[in-house]
Amino acid sequence: MTAKAYVGITGPVNTQETRSICKEFFEAGYSMGSPHIPMLGFLVSYKTLSGQPTKNRRYPSVNTLPELLQATDGNILTMVHYNTKDTSSLSKQVAQIFDEIYENGLCRAIQLNVAWPEITQVAGIKERYPDMQVVFQASHKIMNGKTPNQLAHGIRAYGDSLSYVLIDPSGGRGMPFDLESSGAIYSELREQCSDLTIGFAGGFTGENVALRIKKILERVGESDFCIDAEGGLRDKITSAYGDDLLNIEKVRGYLQSTSSVLR
């Protein structure tokens, strides 16, 4: 069964932010029964999983992850966004995160922010967690030097291990994506991987999201795509990546604008 399209926000780090975002989703008309369901993404990395410190303010302590997930009250698609450089043991790392929260029904979705993860590792995740929804992040590293046809062909090789593909050349840096090139990738994925739900990320803000969604609708000719926002909903402290704070007013503007054209 094809996974439901979502409207996403990534990067809360405490229960107050989590509850506030869930409230804004509800007030914008999003629920698990709406055509586009709400998604909340929590960032985890190999460093934070290992207890190493990070200066990136978008990463919560892994120890608080169950508490953050519980704060959603099960009214939202919760998702771990995971990145690591050690891809050879990816499935074991995912098990460290998920054994408890999957069994307790707190989270059964993961976005792999890993460039071309090993097919056997992704298959191992699905074998251990059959109901897991896996999102393949098509980042700028994935796209580099490849045609849309080559990208889709490579993604198709993962078979039914994947539920979603997120076309995300920005990778949380708030950089708008080029609609023509991302649209071409979308069309090729739709042709070669018809069972996957496809989404877009990169530079969405409350000011631009409605117009950009309208342009996506015109380009792809259908509305059952996902969107996700991260960097565009935060206030910078310095220019360093991740040295920023979530702005709930920006979250509200993004969701209210999104719901005017996509709900």
PDB file of all heavy atoms in Angstrom, residues 81-115:
ATOM      1  N   HIS A  81      15.218  11.199  11.613  1.00  0.00           N
ATOM      2  CA  HIS A  81      16.068  11.514  10.468  1.00  0.00           C
ATOM      3  C   HIS A  81      17.505  11.205  10.898  1.00  0.00           C
ATOM      4  O   HIS A  81      18.060  11.900  11.756  1.00  0.00           O
ATOM      5  CB  HIS A  81      15.935  12.985  10.085  1.00  0.00           C
ATOM      6  CG  HIS A  81      14.586  13.351   9.536  1.00  0.00           C
ATOM      7  ND1 HIS A  81      14.431  14.271   8.521  1.00  0.00           N
ATOM      8  CD2 HIS A  81      13.340  12.916   9.838  1.00  0.00           C
ATOM      9  CE1 HIS A  81      13.150  14.389   8.237  1.00  0.00           C
ATOM     10  NE2 HIS A  81      12.464  13.578   9.037  1.00  0.00           N
ATOM     11  N   TYR A  82      18.081  10.172  10.292  1.00  0.00           N
ATOM     12  CA  TYR A  82      19.360   9.664  10.789  1.00  0.00           C
ATOM     13  C   TYR A  82      20.467   9.818   9.767  1.00  0.00           C
ATOM     14  O   TYR A  82      20.298   9.496   8.586  1.00  0.00           O
ATOM     15  CB  TYR A  82      19.238   8.185  11.177  1.00  0.00           C
ATOM     16  CG  TYR A  82      20.502   7.646  11.815  1.00  0.00           C
ATOM     17  CD1 TYR A  82      20.944   8.151  13.027  1.00  0.00           C
ATOM     18  CD2 TYR A  82      21.246   6.641  11.206  1.00  0.00           C
ATOM     19  CE1 TYR A  82      22.111   7.689  13.620  1.00  0.00           C
ATOM     20  CE2 TYR A  82      22.413   6.161  11.796  1.00  0.00           C
ATOM     21  CZ  TYR A  82      22.839   6.691  13.002  1.00  0.00           C
ATOM     22  OH  TYR A  82      23.991   6.234  13.585  1.00  0.00           O
ATOM     23  N   ASN A  83      21.608  10.328  10.232  1.00  0.00           N
ATOM     24  CA  ASN A  83      22.785  10.404   9.361  1.00  0.00           C
ATOM     25  C   ASN A  83      23.994   9.796  10.054  1.00  0.00           C
ATOM     26  O   ASN A  83      24.152   9.887  11.270  1.00  0.00           O
ATOM     27  CB  ASN A  83      23.076  11.851   8.930  1.00  0.00           C
ATOM     28  CG  ASN A  83      23.578  12.718  10.065  1.00  0.00           C
ATOM     29  OD1 ASN A  83      24.747  12.707  10.413  1.00  0.00           O
ATOM     30  ND2 ASN A  83      22.667  13.493  10.660  1.00  0.00           N
ATOM     31  N   THR A  84      24.821   9.142   9.244  1.00  0.00           N
ATOM     32  CA  THR A  84      26.031   8.494   9.746  1.00  0.00           C
ATOM     33  C   THR A  84      27.036   8.362   8.617  1.00  0.00           C
ATOM     34  O   THR A  84      26.658   8.270   7.443  1.00  0.00           O
ATOM     35  CB  THR A  84      25.704   7.101  10.313  1.00  0.00           C
ATOM     36  OG1 THR A  84      26.917   6.483  10.780  1.00  0.00           O
ATOM     37  CG2 THR A  84      25.099   6.192   9.257  1.00  0.00           C
ATOM     38  N   LYS A  85      28.316   8.351   8.975  1.00  0.00           N
ATOM     39  CA  LYS A  85      29.373   8.075   7.994  1.00  0.00           C
ATOM     40  C   LYS A  85      29.742   6.601   7.974  1.00  0.00           C
ATOM     41  O   LYS A  85      30.334   6.113   7.017  1.00  0.00           O
ATOM     42  CB  LYS A  85      30.606   8.931   8.310  1.00  0.00           C
ATOM     43  CG  LYS A  85      30.382  10.427   8.118  1.00  0.00           C
ATOM     44  CD  LYS A  85      31.644  11.227   8.421  1.00  0.00           C
ATOM     45  CE  LYS A  85      31.406  12.723   8.217  1.00  0.00           C
ATOM     46  NZ  LYS A  85      32.629  13.521   8.527  1.00  0.00           N
ATOM     47  N   ASP A  86      29.398   5.902   9.041  1.00  0.00           N
ATOM     48  CA  ASP A  86      29.694   4.476   9.128  1.00  0.00           C
ATOM     49  C   ASP A  86      28.502   3.699   8.567  1.00  0.00           C
ATOM     50  O   ASP A  86      27.627   3.235   9.305  1.00  0.00           O
ATOM     51  CB  ASP A  86      29.958   4.082  10.585  1.00  0.00           C
ATOM     52  CG  ASP A  86      30.264   2.597  10.733  1.00  0.00           C
ATOM     53  OD1 ASP A  86      30.495   1.924   9.706  1.00  0.00           O
ATOM     54  OD2 ASP A  86      30.239   2.104  11.877  1.00  0.00           O
ATOM     55  N   THR A  87      28.466   3.548   7.260  1.00  0.00           N
ATOM     56  CA  THR A  87      27.307   2.920   6.618  1.00  0.00           C
ATOM     57  C   THR A  87      27.358   1.398   6.655  1.00  0.00           C
ATOM     58  O   THR A  87      26.348   0.746   6.406  1.00  0.00           O
ATOM     59  CB  THR A  87      27.192   3.382   5.163  1.00  0.00           C
ATOM     60  OG1 THR A  87      28.404   3.045   4.457  1.00  0.00           O
ATOM     61  CG2 THR A  87      26.988   4.885   5.082  1.00  0.00           C
ATOM     62  N   SER A  88      28.505   0.816   6.988  1.00  0.00           N
ATOM     63  CA  SER A  88      28.628  -0.644   6.962  1.00  0.00           C
ATOM     64  C   SER A  88      27.822  -1.314   8.070  1.00  0.00           C
ATOM     65  O   SER A  88      27.476  -2.486   7.964  1.00  0.00           O
ATOM     66  CB  SER A  88      30.098  -1.054   7.073  1.00  0.00           C
ATOM     67  OG  SER A  88      30.647  -0.637   8.315  1.00  0.00           O
ATOM     68  N   SER A  89      27.525  -0.560   9.136  1.00  0.00           N
ATOM     69  CA  SER A  89      26.743  -1.122  10.250  1.00  0.00           C
ATOM     70  C   SER A  89      25.446  -0.341  10.446  1.00  0.00           C
ATOM     71  O   SER A  89      24.937  -0.252  11.563  1.00  0.00           O
ATOM     72  CB  SER A  89      27.570  -1.114  11.541  1.00  0.00           C
ATOM     73  OG  SER A  89      27.898   0.210  11.925  1.00  0.00           O
ATOM     74  N   LEU A  90      24.919   0.187   9.364  1.00  0.00           N
ATOM     75  CA  LEU A  90      23.741   1.049   9.444  1.00  0.00           C
ATOM     76  C   LEU A  90      22.572   0.372  10.152  1.00  0.00           C
ATOM     77  O   LEU A  90      21.941   0.959  11.034  1.00  0.00           O
ATOM     78  CB  LEU A  90      23.323   1.488   8.037  1.00  0.00           C
ATOM     79  CG  LEU A  90      22.067   2.357   7.941  1.00  0.00           C
ATOM     80  CD1 LEU A  90      22.250   3.656   8.689  1.00  0.00           C
ATOM     81  CD2 LEU A  90      21.714   2.621   6.473  1.00  0.00           C
ATOM     82  N   SER A  91      22.275  -0.863   9.796  1.00  0.00           N
ATOM     83  CA  SER A  91      21.116  -1.533  10.385  1.00  0.00           C
ATOM     84  C   SER A  91      21.287  -1.723  11.893  1.00  0.00           C
ATOM     85  O   SER A  91      20.319  -1.641  12.654  1.00  0.00           O
ATOM     86  CB  SER A  91      20.860  -2.874   9.701  1.00  0.00           C
ATOM     87  OG  SER A  91      21.964  -3.748   9.855  1.00  0.00           O
ATOM     88  N   LYS A  92      22.513  -1.963  12.355  1.00  0.00           N
ATOM     89  CA  LYS A  92      22.761  -2.103  13.789  1.00  0.00           C
ATOM     90  C   LYS A  92      22.590  -0.771  14.510  1.00  0.00           C
ATOM     91  O   LYS A  92      22.081  -0.716  15.638  1.00  0.00           O
ATOM     92  CB  LYS A  92      24.165  -2.660  14.036  1.00  0.00           C
ATOM     93  CG  LYS A  92      24.344  -4.109  13.614  1.00  0.00           C
ATOM     94  CD  LYS A  92      25.741  -4.606  13.938  1.00  0.00           C
ATOM     95  CE  LYS A  92      25.916  -6.067  13.545  1.00  0.00           C
ATOM     96  NZ  LYS A  92      27.278  -6.574  13.843  1.00  0.00           N
ATOM     97  N   GLN A  93      23.028   0.302  13.873  1.00  0.00           N
ATOM     98  CA  GLN A  93      22.847   1.628  14.467  1.00  0.00           C
ATOM     99  C   GLN A  93      21.362   1.961  14.586  1.00  0.00           C
ATOM    100  O   GLN A  93      20.905   2.489  15.610  1.00  0.00           O
ATOM    101  CB  GLN A  93      23.558   2.680  13.612  1.00  0.00           C
ATOM    102  CG  GLN A  93      25.068   2.532  13.575  1.00  0.00           C
ATOM    103  CD  GLN A  93      25.687   3.414  12.508  1.00  0.00           C
ATOM    104  OE1 GLN A  93      25.382   4.601  12.405  1.00  0.00           O
ATOM    105  NE2 GLN A  93      26.560   2.841  11.683  1.00  0.00           N
ATOM    106  N   VAL A  94      20.603   1.645  13.545  1.00  0.00           N
ATOM    107  CA  VAL A  94      19.166   1.904  13.569  1.00  0.00           C
ATOM    108  C   VAL A  94      18.505   1.100  14.688  1.00  0.00           C
ATOM    109  O   VAL A  94      17.599   1.585  15.373  1.00  0.00           O
ATOM    110  CB  VAL A  94      18.536   1.579  12.200  1.00  0.00           C
ATOM    111  CG1 VAL A  94      17.014   1.599  12.272  1.00  0.00           C
ATOM    112  CG2 VAL A  94      19.033   2.569  11.142  1.00  0.00           C
ATOM    113  N   ALA A  95      18.997  -0.127  14.915  1.00  0.00           N
ATOM    114  CA  ALA A  95      18.452  -0.946  15.994  1.00  0.00           C
ATOM    115  C   ALA A  95      18.678  -0.296  17.360  1.00  0.00           C
ATOM    116  O   ALA A  95      17.831  -0.393  18.258  1.00  0.00           O
ATOM    117  CB  ALA A  95      19.066  -2.341  15.964  1.00  0.00           C
ATOM    118  N   GLN A  96      19.837   0.375  17.532  1.00  0.00           N
ATOM    119  CA  GLN A  96      20.101   1.068  18.792  1.00  0.00           C
ATOM    120  C   GLN A  96      19.051   2.140  19.064  1.00  0.00           C
ATOM    121  O   GLN A  96      18.660   2.375  20.210  1.00  0.00           O
ATOM    122  CB  GLN A  96      21.481   1.729  18.760  1.00  0.00           C
ATOM    123  CG  GLN A  96      22.651   0.785  18.906  1.00  0.00           C
ATOM    124  CD  GLN A  96      23.961   1.545  18.939  1.00  0.00           C
ATOM    125  OE1 GLN A  96      24.689   1.612  17.962  1.00  0.00           O
ATOM    126  NE2 GLN A  96      24.241   2.154  20.087  1.00  0.00           N
ATOM    127  N   ILE A  97      18.588   2.778  17.999  1.00  0.00           N
ATOM    128  CA  ILE A  97      17.594   3.843  18.145  1.00  0.00           C
ATOM    129  C   ILE A  97      16.200   3.269  18.345  1.00  0.00           C
ATOM    130  O   ILE A  97      15.435   3.728  19.199  1.00  0.00           O
ATOM    131  CB  ILE A  97      17.583   4.749  16.889  1.00  0.00           C
ATOM    132  CG1 ILE A  97      18.966   5.335  16.616  1.00  0.00           C
ATOM    133  CG2 ILE A  97      16.546   5.865  17.036  1.00  0.00           C
ATOM    134  CD1 ILE A  97      19.087   6.001  15.255  1.00  0.00           C
ATOM    135  N   PHE A  98      15.876   2.215  17.600  1.00  0.00           N
ATOM    136  CA  PHE A  98      14.474   1.845  17.420  1.00  0.00           C
ATOM    137  C   PHE A  98      13.963   0.681  18.251  1.00  0.00           C
ATOM    138  O   PHE A  98      12.737   0.533  18.375  1.00  0.00           O
ATOM    139  CB  PHE A  98      14.200   1.549  15.945  1.00  0.00           C
ATOM    140  CG  PHE A  98      13.831   2.771  15.151  1.00  0.00           C
ATOM    141  CD1 PHE A  98      14.809   3.504  14.499  1.00  0.00           C
ATOM    142  CD2 PHE A  98      12.515   3.194  15.071  1.00  0.00           C
ATOM    143  CE1 PHE A  98      14.481   4.645  13.774  1.00  0.00           C
ATOM    144  CE2 PHE A  98      12.174   4.319  14.359  1.00  0.00           C
ATOM    145  CZ  PHE A  98      13.154   5.054  13.710  1.00  0.00           C
ATOM    146  N   ASP A  99      14.811  -0.160  18.786  1.00  0.00           N
ATOM    147  CA  ASP A  99      14.285  -1.359  19.445  1.00  0.00           C
ATOM    148  C   ASP A  99      13.178  -1.036  20.443  1.00  0.00           C
ATOM    149  O   ASP A  99      12.111  -1.667  20.448  1.00  0.00           O
ATOM    150  CB  ASP A  99      15.412  -2.145  20.120  1.00  0.00           C
ATOM    151  CG  ASP A  99      16.033  -3.174  19.193  1.00  0.00           C
ATOM    152  OD1 ASP A  99      15.516  -3.355  18.072  1.00  0.00           O
ATOM    153  OD2 ASP A  99      17.033  -3.796  19.585  1.00  0.00           O
ATOM    154  N   GLU A 100      13.398  -0.029  21.274  1.00  0.00           N
ATOM    155  CA  GLU A 100      12.403   0.321  22.292  1.00  0.00           C
ATOM    156  C   GLU A 100      11.251   1.126  21.704  1.00  0.00           C
ATOM    157  O   GLU A 100      10.074   0.809  21.932  1.00  0.00           O
ATOM    158  CB  GLU A 100      13.057   1.116  23.421  1.00  0.00           C
ATOM    159  CG  GLU A 100      12.070   1.553  24.498  1.00  0.00           C
ATOM    160  CD  GLU A 100      12.736   2.395  25.577  1.00  0.00           C
ATOM    161  OE1 GLU A 100      13.976   2.453  25.622  1.00  0.00           O
ATOM    162  OE2 GLU A 100      11.984   3.014  26.369  1.00  0.00           O
ATOM    163  N   ILE A 101      11.547   2.163  20.934  1.00  0.00           N
ATOM    164  CA  ILE A 101      10.483   3.059  20.481  1.00  0.00           C
ATOM    165  C   ILE A 101       9.607   2.415  19.410  1.00  0.00           C
ATOM    166  O   ILE A 101       8.421   2.743  19.295  1.00  0.00           O
ATOM    167  CB  ILE A 101      11.055   4.405  19.986  1.00  0.00           C
ATOM    168  CG1 ILE A 101      12.002   4.217  18.789  1.00  0.00           C
ATOM    169  CG2 ILE A 101      11.758   5.141  21.125  1.00  0.00           C
ATOM    170  CD1 ILE A 101      12.517   5.525  18.208  1.00  0.00           C
ATOM    171  N   TYR A 102      10.162   1.480  18.644  1.00  0.00           N
ATOM    172  CA  TYR A 102       9.354   0.757  17.656  1.00  0.00           C
ATOM    173  C   TYR A 102       8.408  -0.196  18.368  1.00  0.00           C
ATOM    174  O   TYR A 102       7.207  -0.244  18.068  1.00  0.00           O
ATOM    175  CB  TYR A 102      10.274   0.002  16.696  1.00  0.00           C
ATOM    176  CG  TYR A 102       9.553  -0.788  15.618  1.00  0.00           C
ATOM    177  CD1 TYR A 102       9.306  -0.217  14.376  1.00  0.00           C
ATOM    178  CD2 TYR A 102       9.149  -2.101  15.832  1.00  0.00           C
ATOM    179  CE1 TYR A 102       8.653  -0.937  13.370  1.00  0.00           C
ATOM    180  CE2 TYR A 102       8.499  -2.828  14.847  1.00  0.00           C
ATOM    181  CZ  TYR A 102       8.259  -2.244  13.616  1.00  0.00           C
ATOM    182  OH  TYR A 102       7.615  -2.971  12.635  1.00  0.00           O
ATOM    183  N   GLU A 103       8.933  -0.949  19.298  1.00  0.00           N
ATOM    184  CA  GLU A 103       8.123  -1.930  20.025  1.00  0.00           C
ATOM    185  C   GLU A 103       6.978  -1.249  20.769  1.00  0.00           C
ATOM    186  O   GLU A 103       5.862  -1.793  20.851  1.00  0.00           O
ATOM    187  CB  GLU A 103       8.995  -2.702  21.013  1.00  0.00           C
ATOM    188  CG  GLU A 103       8.273  -3.799  21.775  1.00  0.00           C
ATOM    189  CD  GLU A 103       7.814  -4.941  20.878  1.00  0.00           C
ATOM    190  OE1 GLU A 103       8.437  -5.165  19.820  1.00  0.00           O
ATOM    191  OE2 GLU A 103       6.814  -5.594  21.237  1.00  0.00           O
ATOM    192  N   ASN A 104       7.223  -0.049  21.286  1.00  0.00           N
ATOM    193  CA  ASN A 104       6.207   0.682  22.041  1.00  0.00           C
ATOM    194  C   ASN A 104       5.293   1.518  21.149  1.00  0.00           C
ATOM    195  O   ASN A 104       4.420   2.235  21.650  1.00  0.00           O
ATOM    196  CB  ASN A 104       6.869   1.597  23.080  1.00  0.00           C
ATOM    197  CG  ASN A 104       7.558   0.803  24.175  1.00  0.00           C
ATOM    198  OD1 ASN A 104       7.200  -0.333  24.457  1.00  0.00           O
ATOM    199  ND2 ASN A 104       8.579   1.394  24.787  1.00  0.00           N
ATOM    200  N   GLY A 105       5.509   1.442  19.840  1.00  0.00           N
ATOM    201  CA  GLY A 105       4.650   2.157  18.898  1.00  0.00           C
ATOM    202  C   GLY A 105       4.848   3.657  18.873  1.00  0.00           C
ATOM    203  O   GLY A 105       3.993   4.400  18.373  1.00  0.00           O
ATOM    204  N   LEU A 106       5.996   4.136  19.374  1.00  0.00           N
ATOM    205  CA  LEU A 106       6.246   5.572  19.419  1.00  0.00           C
ATOM    206  C   LEU A 106       6.744   6.130  18.094  1.00  0.00           C
ATOM    207  O   LEU A 106       6.517   7.300  17.778  1.00  0.00           O
ATOM    208  CB  LEU A 106       7.275   5.893  20.513  1.00  0.00           C
ATOM    209  CG  LEU A 106       6.835   5.626  21.948  1.00  0.00           C
ATOM    210  CD1 LEU A 106       7.990   5.884  22.912  1.00  0.00           C
ATOM    211  CD2 LEU A 106       5.632   6.481  22.318  1.00  0.00           C
ATOM    212  N   CYS A 107       7.430   5.309  17.317  1.00  0.00           N
ATOM    213  CA  CYS A 107       7.962   5.758  16.032  1.00  0.00           C
ATOM    214  C   CYS A 107       8.227   4.557  15.144  1.00  0.00           C
ATOM    215  O   CYS A 107       8.896   3.610  15.565  1.00  0.00           O
ATOM    216  CB  CYS A 107       9.251   6.559  16.240  1.00  0.00           C
ATOM    217  SG  CYS A 107       9.922   7.285  14.719  1.00  0.00           S
ATOM    218  N   ARG A 108       7.705   4.624  13.923  1.00  0.00           N
ATOM    219  CA  ARG A 108       7.925   3.555  12.963  1.00  0.00           C
ATOM    220  C   ARG A 108       8.220   4.112  11.579  1.00  0.00           C
ATOM    221  O   ARG A 108       7.738   3.610  10.566  1.00  0.00           O
ATOM    222  CB  ARG A 108       6.718   2.603  12.936  1.00  0.00           C
ATOM    223  CG  ARG A 108       6.566   1.842  14.246  1.00  0.00           C
ATOM    224  CD  ARG A 108       5.475   0.809  14.237  1.00  0.00           C
ATOM    225  NE  ARG A 108       5.498   0.034  15.476  1.00  0.00           N
ATOM    226  CZ  ARG A 108       4.631  -0.933  15.764  1.00  0.00           C
ATOM    227  NH1 ARG A 108       3.674  -1.241  14.897  1.00  0.00           N
ATOM    228  NH2 ARG A 108       4.722  -1.579  16.903  1.00  0.00           N
ATOM    229  N   ALA A 109       9.034   5.171  11.574  1.00  0.00           N
ATOM    230  CA  ALA A 109       9.455   5.776  10.308  1.00  0.00           C
ATOM    231  C   ALA A 109      10.849   6.350  10.480  1.00  0.00           C
ATOM    232  O   ALA A 109      11.175   6.917  11.522  1.00  0.00           O
ATOM    233  CB  ALA A 109       8.479   6.871   9.876  1.00  0.00           C
ATOM    234  N   ILE A 110      11.666   6.197   9.446  1.00  0.00           N
ATOM    235  CA  ILE A 110      13.032   6.719   9.480  1.00  0.00           C
ATOM    236  C   ILE A 110      13.403   7.280   8.121  1.00  0.00           C
ATOM    237  O   ILE A 110      13.092   6.692   7.076  1.00  0.00           O
ATOM    238  CB  ILE A 110      14.051   5.628   9.900  1.00  0.00           C
ATOM    239  CG1 ILE A 110      15.462   6.226  10.047  1.00  0.00           C
ATOM    240  CG2 ILE A 110      14.058   4.458   8.913  1.00  0.00           C
ATOM    241  CD1 ILE A 110      16.447   5.297  10.729  1.00  0.00           C
ATOM    242  N   GLN A 111      14.020   8.447   8.133  1.00  0.00           N
ATOM    243  CA  GLN A 111      14.610   9.009   6.925  1.00  0.00           C
ATOM    244  C   GLN A 111      16.114   8.790   6.992  1.00  0.00           C
ATOM    245  O   GLN A 111      16.761   9.205   7.955  1.00  0.00           O
ATOM    246  CB  GLN A 111      14.299  10.500   6.795  1.00  0.00           C
ATOM    247  CG  GLN A 111      14.936  11.139   5.552  1.00  0.00           C
ATOM    248  CD  GLN A 111      14.493  12.563   5.351  1.00  0.00           C
ATOM    249  OE1 GLN A 111      13.302  12.864   5.328  1.00  0.00           O
ATOM    250  NE2 GLN A 111      15.446  13.482   5.209  1.00  0.00           N
ATOM    251  N   LEU A 112      16.649   8.140   5.979  1.00  0.00           N
ATOM    252  CA  LEU A 112      18.081   7.851   5.949  1.00  0.00           C
ATOM    253  C   LEU A 112      18.803   8.961   5.202  1.00  0.00           C
ATOM    254  O   LEU A 112      18.766   9.028   3.971  1.00  0.00           O
ATOM    255  CB  LEU A 112      18.325   6.497   5.282  1.00  0.00           C
ATOM    256  CG  LEU A 112      17.705   5.293   6.000  1.00  0.00           C
ATOM    257  CD1 LEU A 112      17.896   4.020   5.172  1.00  0.00           C
ATOM    258  CD2 LEU A 112      18.301   5.115   7.395  1.00  0.00           C
ATOM    259  N   ASN A 113      19.451   9.840   5.954  1.00  0.00           N
ATOM    260  CA  ASN A 113      20.234  10.923   5.356  1.00  0.00           C
ATOM    261  C   ASN A 113      21.651  10.422   5.094  1.00  0.00           C
ATOM    262  O   ASN A 113      22.635  10.894   5.663  1.00  0.00           O
ATOM    263  CB  ASN A 113      20.239  12.137   6.274  1.00  0.00           C
ATOM    264  CG  ASN A 113      18.849  12.732   6.450  1.00  0.00           C
ATOM    265  OD1 ASN A 113      17.928  12.429   5.693  1.00  0.00           O
ATOM    266  ND2 ASN A 113      18.689  13.572   7.443  1.00  0.00           N
ATOM    267  N   VAL A 114      21.703   9.423   4.247  1.00  0.00           N
ATOM    268  CA  VAL A 114      22.946   8.717   3.927  1.00  0.00           C
ATOM    269  C   VAL A 114      23.014   8.580   2.411  1.00  0.00           C
ATOM    270  O   VAL A 114      22.036   8.180   1.771  1.00  0.00           O
ATOM    271  CB  VAL A 114      22.959   7.309   4.571  1.00  0.00           C
ATOM    272  CG1 VAL A 114      24.208   6.551   4.183  1.00  0.00           C
ATOM    273  CG2 VAL A 114      22.830   7.397   6.090  1.00  0.00           C
ATOM    274  N   ALA A 115      24.152   8.917   1.823  1.00  0.00           N
ATOM    275  CA  ALA A 115      24.294   8.831   0.375  1.00  0.00           C
ATOM    276  C   ALA A 115      24.418   7.376  -0.073  1.00  0.00           C
ATOM    277  O   ALA A 115      25.369   6.690   0.270  1.00  0.00           O
ATOM    278  CB  ALA A 115      25.517   9.627  -0.084  1.00  0.00           C
TER     279      ALA A 115
END
